[in-house]
Amino acid sequence: MENLGDDLVSAFTSVTQLPDNAEGRRLAGALRAYHPALRTNAATGAPTDRPAVVSAQPVADPEQTPHDGDEDDAWVQPGDEEEPKGTVFPALNILKDCMQRSTYHPIPVIRKEERGAEPWTIFREVMDGEPRWVHPDITTEKTKPGKRDRLVVPEQFGTGQLCVIDRNGSYPSACSAVPLAPNKLQHTGPLEEVGKDRAGAFLITVPAWNHPEMPHPLGRLAERTDDQGHVWVTTPHVRQLQKLIKAGHITEELIVPDSWTGKANESLFKPFYAKAREARAELVQAGGEPYTEYKRRLSIALRLLWPKGEKVNSPFWRPDWRMALVAEASVRHWSVAHRAVQAGHTLVALRNVDEAVFFTPDGQAPDTYKVGTGFGEVKVKTEPAAPGSER
């Protein structure tokens, strides 16, 4: 990427949109990083020929809707690692302090010369396991560009409304007990059993999921296997599969042909979670710019766990920590929805790490959710269901 030719840069300026996937984001980031004169439209991802400082936002995904910004997907930029003096929530400094005070002697930065080999090349953004799922009996209708497709509920679902549930602070909430390996990952190969003392990356055989009323517990990861049906996952998804196997929801054994692991710890980010929770309780009531800045600093700190591009001088480089954190948020999101379905509620869509849509008689949230403003609690919005053609 360091020697991108003028022809490629010229071709890039004619592109109107790049795909919102790992490859598209890496290409856009590389072109912008090595050719600062190249700029993209922050709203559409369309390149322009006006020299400017890039505001590197991912291309808008029509399958996603805006939320309150707790799970902001904006890429971090050079300079974001410098927190302004007097900021309402110095999230990055708090996160660094967690590392310095930890008795587990964590290694927050993997040396650059080691990053081009396993296990670090294993990690991908799709390891988050986000569901991005719509019930197989639900159809969708296109709406305005940039808006979600409209969910069309068939007649057999009966009379009811759509209950849209938005989880607060899914990522910082996951910091309360995300299983991580504070030190380097060692090659531990095939495992007959994954104990709770191990954390890291696991190559697994994706088990069958025979429950069409819920997405696969691995989310989109379940569709990204190799020719042998294997996929790399992080510890939160392994533990989730173990629980589902024990409960009888999955009938296959967990098969782990390969692994890179270290001694597990669930409290490395807990002090960060506690301070973020305390600050949110104060700032969410005030709202306005202080709350907006709080969310921004929180998002930047957690994204700096795995900064993209050489020009971001982050105090961290741990893709395993970052992807385990996002996977933990996805697992919690999936698990609460699963408990609601087990209790008889109808899930019609499960999106990203923070939004679920149920079809309920009165538009109220299932009892498995707690409505409120705190981490892990939810906001609820009621929408009329789009009737099917047979209604």
Side-chain angles (χ1 to χ4, degrees), residues 57-328:
Q57 302 284 340
V59 176
D61 183 350
E63 291 301 313
Q64 299 182 20
T65 55
H67 40 62
D68 70 1
D70 285 340
E71 321 313 339
D72 186 7
D73 284 334
W75 288 356
V76 292
Q77 296 296 294
D80 279 343
E81 67 275 14
E82 299 296 331
E83 289 187 313
K85 291 183 178 180
T87 184
V88 295
F89 186 69
L92 187 58
N93 286 332
I94 293 172
L95 199 55
K96 288 191 293 185
D97 190 59
C98 284
M99 302 300 109
Q100 294 167 358
R101 292 176 178 270
S102 175
T103 60
Y104 298 98
H105 307 293
I107 300 173
V109 179
I110 300 302
R111 293 183 299 180
K112 290 184 178 181
E113 58 266 30
E114 298 178 19
R115 298 176 188 178
E118 289 190 349
W120 313 113
T121 54
I122 288 170
F123 294 95
R124 300 287 187 273
E125 287 87 349
V126 294
M127 291 173 78
D128 53 23
E130 289 183 353
R132 303 190 184 185
W133 174 88
V134 175
H135 192 288
D137 293 336
I138 297 290
T139 57
T140 59
E141 292 179 347
K142 292 293 183 183
T143 58
K144 296 179 181 179
K147 299 290 185 180
R148 281 201 196 280
D149 290 348
R150 193 180 184 196
L151 299 172
V152 180
V153 181
E155 187 176 36
Q156 64 263 29
F157 277 48
T159 303
Q161 294 179 301
L162 295 179
C163 173
V164 181
I165 293 171
D166 185 11
R167 286 172 59 85
N168 301 321
S170 292
Y171 294 159
S173 180
C175 289
S176 63
V178 56
L180 305 169
N183 306 114
K184 287 186 180 181
L185 302 180
Q186 303 295 327
H187 190 217
T188 42
L191 298 174
E192 292 185 5
E193 183 178 355
V194 180
K196 287 192 174 182
D197 63 331
R198 295 282 96 188
F202 304 85
L203 185 68
I204 68 166
T205 301
V206 174
W209 179 251
N210 300 314
H211 308 279
E213 71 279 6
M214 281 289 299
H216 196 288
L218 294 178
R220 57 181 182 162
L221 262 177
E223 303 170 358
R224 297 173 183 263
T225 60
D226 62 17
D227 293 341
Q228 296 177 297
H230 297 159
V231 71
W232 284 98
V233 302
T234 54
T235 317
H237 279 118
V238 166
R239 293 190 178 183
Q240 181 191 38
L241 293 178
Q242 290 174 320
K243 291 178 182 178
L244 293 169
I245 291 169
K246 185 176 181 179
H249 299 300
I250 292 176
T251 57
E252 302 173 29
E253 294 183 358
L254 181 65
I255 300 174
V256 184
D258 200 2
S259 64
W260 287 80
T261 67
K263 189 173 181 180
N265 172 267
E266 296 183 12
S267 62
L268 188 62
F269 291 164
K270 193 169 184 177
F272 177 83
Y273 158 78
K275 290 184 180 296
R277 181 180 181 182
E278 180 182 359
R280 179 187 175 94
E282 297 175 1
L283 294 169
V284 73
Q285 301 300 327
E289 183 59 31
Y291 182 54
T292 300
E293 181 63 10
Y294 157 80
K295 291 189 295 181
R296 180 173 178 271
R297 298 313 312 180
L298 189 60
S299 175
I300 287 172
L302 295 179
R303 282 203 164 267
L304 281 172
L305 290 172
W306 188 15
K308 306 300 173 63
E310 297 296 324
K311 295 186 179 182
V312 178
N313 187 26
S314 174
F316 300 101
W317 198 89
R318 287 298 299 252
D320 54 328
W321 291 0
R322 169 65 189 178
M323 296 321 302
L325 173 64
V326 183
E328 177 71 15

